[in-house]
């Protein structure tokens, strides 16, 4: 019988290789790395002059371009614009916007980033902000009205009766005197006697004065008659 040739081992070469088997590494990261390492020519035009320099793409920042403008153009207020791939004027004011402009410049040969210097504030910055209105001050609260009665109203003070007050004081005085030390009781008793004698003398003097006044009046009446 004829000999059969052994089947070749390994993958067949007559079929197309799959993407995983035949392709190399993903080119996207490699392209991004090349863009960072690439150089770009920067041109800034304004104030009847143009400045040019070459820089690595990953070294360009909006702050570094601002410093270049301040050193070479002596313009205190400005903003930058560029033409995009649709021929529109695009403002540049952040690193993200600058990197977008750089990525468009790297697609051309040679890679040139053309920026236009415009004096003054950008339209967005120059637009006045709407006035802020503060809320009106709150009206002062009315003072609490005095209670007009009811369950929570405080009790009205009882009307003071002088006769009742002195009567209560006289009733309580003996009890208070008995609680005092004997020497102090003797002093107060003597003061009481002196007060009584003074009151009697004053009463007698007042009576005599009234009698004399009456006699004087009677005599004057008789003389007039």
């Amino acid at each position: 019988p004829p000999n059969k040739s052994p089947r070749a081992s390994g993958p067949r070469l007559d079929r197309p290789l799959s993407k995983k088997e035949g392709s190399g590494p993903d080119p996207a990261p490699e392209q991004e790395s090349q863009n960072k390492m690439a150089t770009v020519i920067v041109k800034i035009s304004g104030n009847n002059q143009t400045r040019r320099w070459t820089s690595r793409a990953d070294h360009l920042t909006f702050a570094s371009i601002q410093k270049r403008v301040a050193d070479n153009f002596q313009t205190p207020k400005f903003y930058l614009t560029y033409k995009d791939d649709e021929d529109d004027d695009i403002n540049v004011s952040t690193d993200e916007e600058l990197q977008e402009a750089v990525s468009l410049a790297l697609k051309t040969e040679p890679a040139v980033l053309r920026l236009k210097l415009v004096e003054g504030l950008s339209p967005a910055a120059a637009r006045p902000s709407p006035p802020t209105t503060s809320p009106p001050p709150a009206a002062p609260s009315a003072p609490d009205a005095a209670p007009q009665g009811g369950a929570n109203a405080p009790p009205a003070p009882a009307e003071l009766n002088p006769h009742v007050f002195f009567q209560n004081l006289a009733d309580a005085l003996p009890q208070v005197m008995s609680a005092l030390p004997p020497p102090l009781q003797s002093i107060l008793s003597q003061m009481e006697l002196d007060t009584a004698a003074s009151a009697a003398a004053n009463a007698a003097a007042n009576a005599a004065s009234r009698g004399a006044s009456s006699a004087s009046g009677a005599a004057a009446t008789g003389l007039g008659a």
Side-chain angles (χ1 to χ4, degrees):
N3 294 331
K4 293 183 180 181
S5 59
R7 178 176 296 178
S9 61
R12 293 177 57 185
L13 300 180
D14 56 346
R15 63 180 178 86
L17 296 177
S18 64
K19 182 178 179 181
K20 184 175 180 181
E21 295 174 349
S23 62
D26 188 2
E30 183 179 355
Q31 182 67 31
E32 183 178 356
S33 177
Q34 289 177 358
N35 289 343
K36 290 183 178 180
M37 297 294 294
T39 59
V40 61
I41 300 171
V42 182
K43 290 184 179 182
I44 300 181
S45 301
N47 290 351
N48 299 322
Q49 59 176 318
T50 301
R51 298 287 178 166
R52 167 180 169 153
W53 75 94
T54 302
S55 173
R56 274 181 47 174
D58 57 339
H59 289 176
L60 278 178
T61 62
F62 185 69
S64 65
I65 291 183
Q66 279 185 312
K67 186 176 183 308
R68 286 268 187 170
V69 173
D71 293 343
N72 295 287
F73 291 88
Q74 288 80 39
T75 301
K77 295 180 180 180
F78 64 92
Y79 63 98
L80 300 171
T81 65
Y82 72 96
K83 292 282 188 180
D84 66 356
D85 50 357
E86 297 178 351
D87 202 34
D88 292 327
D89 291 324
I90 308 299
N91 287 13
V92 179
S93 58
T94 63
D95 286 336
E96 182 180 1
E97 292 172 342
L98 177 63
Q99 290 305 316
E100 179 70 17
V102 171
S103 64
L104 290 176
L106 291 175
K107 295 178 181 179
T108 62
E109 185 64 34
V112 181
L113 174 62
R114 292 180 173 87
L115 299 174
K116 181 181 178 182
L117 174 67
V118 183
E119 291 191 45
L121 296 175
S122 65
R127 186 180 303 117
S129 58
T132 58
T133 57
S134 58
S141 58
D144 297 337
Q148 299 297 328
N152 297 327
E159 184 178 357
L160 181 63
N161 190 335
H163 179 72
V164 176
F165 172 74
F166 286 110
Q167 184 63 41
N168 293 336
L169 183 62
D171 294 342
L173 189 58
Q175 184 178 359
V176 174
M177 290 287 293
S178 63
L180 295 176
L184 186 56
Q185 291 182 16
S186 176
I187 293 173
L188 292 178
S189 298
Q190 185 63 37
M191 291 177 61
E192 184 179 0
L193 292 176
D194 292 343
T195 302
S198 298
N202 290 334
N206 291 334
S209 177
R210 286 195 298 271
S213 298
S214 299
S216 297
T221 302
L223 290 176

